[in-house]
Amino acid sequence: LSLTLARAPATTTQLRVRPPNRMASRRVLVGLLALPVAALNTVSALTFDVAAAKNRPVSKVITLLKDMQKQLEKEAEEDEEIYDKMACWCETNDKEKTKSIADAEARIEDLTTKIEELTAASARLNTEIKNHEKEVAKNQEALDQATAIRQKQLAEFNAEEKDLLESISALKSAIVVLSKHHSALVQVPRAHAVAMAAMIQSQMRRHASLLQGVLSPSERRLVEAFAQAPQDYFDASPTFKQSYAPQSGEIFGILKQMKETFEANLAASQKEEMANQKAYEDLKAAKEEEIKAGQAQIDSKTKELAETDEKNAQAKVDVEDTKAS
């Protein structure tokens, strides 16, 4: 036994040890344990009988060493299996990590492109919304101006129509009085004659521009003379002075001419008013349609802008999350 143990170190110097790790150390230890076991077996074969040696203390040591050898060999195999699994896992994990990084970089690039597109779309939508708002405001202003003009036109027409209707009514009354005078050959009461003269003078002043070119200079002089002495034109028995004055029939003709002029002007004004009203209604309908369409565009693009900005913000968050992962 002592001889065998003395030879053991020389044998161990011939072993090739793998890089220091648990698995390699166990293999070395197994090799070292195998030497004394082999040595003891050799001594046992030279000195003792195998059957008799089983009950000796040395045999127990040999058995213990063999068990340790088996256990170490088993652990070495397990370590080898774990090592292979770890190597496979590292290789697989490295590939997955490399792929994950490549995917993340591609995603960041896509998100960056998306952010640029969404930012451009947001700027475009803001510009379009402002343009639509300007267009709507412009159409609304045009409609407001047209409405103001129309209201002014209507007010002027109503005033003119009322004035002409009153003038026509007064002239009709005067004509009726004169018609009775001519048909019945009766004297016109002084109060009626004075009122008629005042009315004619008033109408000529109020509608001077309208009567411009309608009454001749001689007719105007006749009206002026009638206004000065209306009763002289309607006395039952003409005086010497009246024989040289125009007859009441001329006044009658002037009144009819004035009435027809006023009626023609009223008809023209009413026709113009109808045309103005229709033009305004057409303009109003067109502007309201344009305003409605413009507002619809504003609403639609405002909603689209909100969605675009939300997507843009989310894309930026996704970029940061991808970088962090």
Side-chain angles (χ1 to χ4, degrees), residues 29-83:
L29 185 56
V30 169
L32 292 174
L33 288 173
L35 292 176
V37 172
L40 290 173
N41 286 336
T42 303
V43 173
S44 174
L46 294 174
T47 310
F48 303 101
D49 181 64
V50 176
K54 288 184 178 180
N55 296 322
R56 294 177 183 276
V58 175
S59 299
K60 294 181 180 180
V61 172
I62 293 172
T63 301
L64 179 61
L65 290 175
K66 288 182 178 180
D67 291 340
M68 290 179 63
Q69 181 182 5
K70 291 179 180 179
Q71 181 64 30
L72 289 172
E73 288 175 349
K74 180 180 179 182
E75 291 180 358
E77 291 175 357
E78 292 176 352
D79 287 345
E80 184 72 25
E81 183 180 355
I82 292 173
Y83 173 80

Side-chain angles (χ1 to χ4, degrees), residues 165-179:
L165 288 173
E166 290 176 351
S167 298
I168 292 170
S169 178
L171 290 170
K172 282 182 177 180
S173 298
I175 291 171
V176 169
V177 171
L178 289 179
S179 297

